[in-house]
Every structure is written in C-alpha cells, then in structure tokens.
Amino acid sequence: YRLLKIYLRDITIVTDQNAIHMRVGIAGVIQSGANDYEYTTHLLRSDNGAISSDRSGSAADPQMVITGAAGVLGIGNRAGDCYSGEITVFSPNNVTEHKRIRWIGHFGRLGPEETTCEGGGTYIGGTGALTDFQFLFTGAGGADGGEIDVYGLI
C-alpha cells in the first residue's frame, strides 16, 4: 500500500494524565533507538483555549508522542475520558525515503476539559519498509480499553 490509516477508538488508560507514544517496526523489529524519531504535536485545550505543544526538539527521540506529554497535558482516566484519533502513514513501503506520519485526535483530561491534538513525525533511523507499529501507554497499567484498526489504501 502507498498509504496506511490507523484508527484508535475509545482508548482508555489506567493512570491519569499519561501519554500515547508510537514507534514503527522494520522487518519485524520495533525501532527504539535514542535518535530514531523527530516529531511535533500541538494541543488546543477547551478550558482556556490555550495552545500547547510537545516536540522532539533538537535531539531526536526513541518514539513519537501522539497525544499531550504525560503530566498536565496527558489523557485523563475519569469515567468517560478516552482518546480517539486517526493516523496516516505515507509511503510505508518506500525504501528510499524516511517515513512521514501524521495524526489528529481528541481526548478528555483534568475535569471537564477536552483537548484536540494534531501533529506529525518522521522515522529518521532508516528507510526500510514498515512492517509493524507499536503504541506505548505511559504510566502504571497502560491502556485498559479501546480498539486499534489498520487499513491499507491505494
């Protein structure tokens, strides 16, 4: 496929105010080197309209943060809080270019507050075809509900 869509629906977490991270795999091996990813995620909060961001910065990271960072920008674990979003992976089989990934999602957190997150990142550790995706849920207990679906397009 030249394009992949990954849908995360109603992902709930055990520990309050935590993040969802994403990694890719090549030939069945999850890539988690210290400098494998560059990313940025922007968040728009419903409580005060504040715009926040999380990014890899000048030093690359071992994963991409697709939600707010753990802590005050993280996903809530109250009844009804969850994350739902869509991830687009461009040219996953191309072996000459770095892999570009784009996401948009929405989650509840910290009382009656909702947050929309949007971002993008690149696997810069190599150019091999992608074969796997890993989602990491920070905090004790990780995720305790929801669904993840992957679709190949064109």
Side-chain angles (χ1 to χ4, degrees):
Y1 297 104
R2 296 186 316 190
L3 188 72
L4 294 177
K5 288 285 191 179
I6 303 171
Y7 294 96
L8 291 86
R9 287 191 320 276
D10 302 328
I11 304 294
T12 56
I13 60 169
V14 174
T15 305
D16 196 25
Q17 299 182 22
N18 281 299
I20 301 175
H21 297 191
M22 180 181 177
R23 293 177 176 162
V24 300
I26 295 176
V29 177
I30 296 298
Q31 305 300 304
S32 59
N35 297 308
D36 279 351
Y37 302 91
E38 290 275 352
Y39 72 92
T40 184
T41 298
H42 301 283
L43 300 104
L44 179 60
R45 297 168 39 184
S46 68
D47 64 333
N48 59 12
I51 298 173
S52 305
S53 65
D54 188 17
R55 61 187 175 82
S56 54
S58 59
D61 282 345
Q63 67 259 329
M64 296 173 287
V65 180
I66 64 170
T67 62
V72 27
L73 296 176
I75 301 169
N77 70 344
R78 299 168 304 147
D81 282 351
C82 66
Y83 172 85
S84 292
E86 175 183 317
I87 299 169
T88 303
V89 181
F90 300 94
S91 303
N93 296 322
N94 182 325
V95 295
T96 60
E97 305 293 334
H98 292 297
K99 305 306 176 268
R100 305 303 196 263
I101 301 169
R102 182 99 171 94
W103 53 86
I104 188 165
H106 189 83
F107 59 91
R109 64 182 205 81
L110 294 179
E113 184 178 312
E114 297 292 316
T115 300
T116 296
C117 56
E118 180 176 5
T122 303
Y123 169 67
I124 60 172
T127 59
L130 301 184
T131 59
D132 303 274
F133 300 95
Q134 180 185 52
F135 294 95
L136 300 113
F137 303 90
T138 61
D144 64 351
E147 296 181 16
I148 299 175
D149 296 312
V150 180
Y151 298 95
L153 304 173
I154 53 178

